[in-house]
Amino acid sequence: MIRDKVQAKIAKAFNGKAADAVKTFTCTKEIATGDFDFVTQTYPKIIVEAYSGRGVFGSYKKDWVKPSDYQVEDIKLTALQNEVVKDGEPYQPQADDVLDTPYGQLKIVGPINQDPTSAVWVLQLRKAG
């Protein structure tokens, strides 16, 4: 399968020639469930989800097509899909997730994109807070 070949080649590059550019990231988020209690202003149950992965953080080239809500300080993350995992299983990052990275906390602000072979996620990130 082409996806497996692409992922294997990218993983080899991540472990070899590109190793110094590859950084890890994590995301821990609380998800409120159940009916909102207006008296206490809380939800009855909070679930904590966590996922992690690794990828290459970069910037957008000034002359390339950019997302419509692009800001000059936005960061582009290219992450190997099969290495973005939650509980050992592949996981798709979500808009508004806040990632803990070597560059501080970065929020996913753009659409969640992937390459044509579904081997990598391409995420638009912005400083959180």
Side-chain angles (χ1 to χ4, degrees), residues 24-29 57 73-75 77 96-109 124-129:
T24 60
F25 62 89
T26 60
C27 177
T28 303
K29 59 184 177 178
F57 293 82
E73 68 274 359
D74 286 355
I75 296 171
L77 169 61
D96 296 327
D97 283 356
V98 176
L99 307 180
D100 290 312
T101 76
Y103 308 101
Q105 290 193 320
L106 302 173
K107 182 178 183 178
I108 300 173
V109 294
Q124 180 185 357
L125 308 174
R126 188 170 294 150
K127 291 280 183 189

Side-chain angles (χ1 to χ4, degrees), residues 14-49:
F14 275 16
N15 293 326
K17 293 179 181 178
D20 59 334
V22 176
K23 309 288 184 215
T24 60
F25 62 89
T26 60
C27 177
T28 303
K29 59 184 177 178
E30 293 182 348
I31 300 171
T33 62
D35 293 330
F36 185 74
D37 183 338
F38 289 97
V39 174
T40 63
Q41 296 292 301
T42 61
Y43 285 91
K45 187 172 181 182
I46 303 292
I47 299 169
V48 177
E49 281 191 350

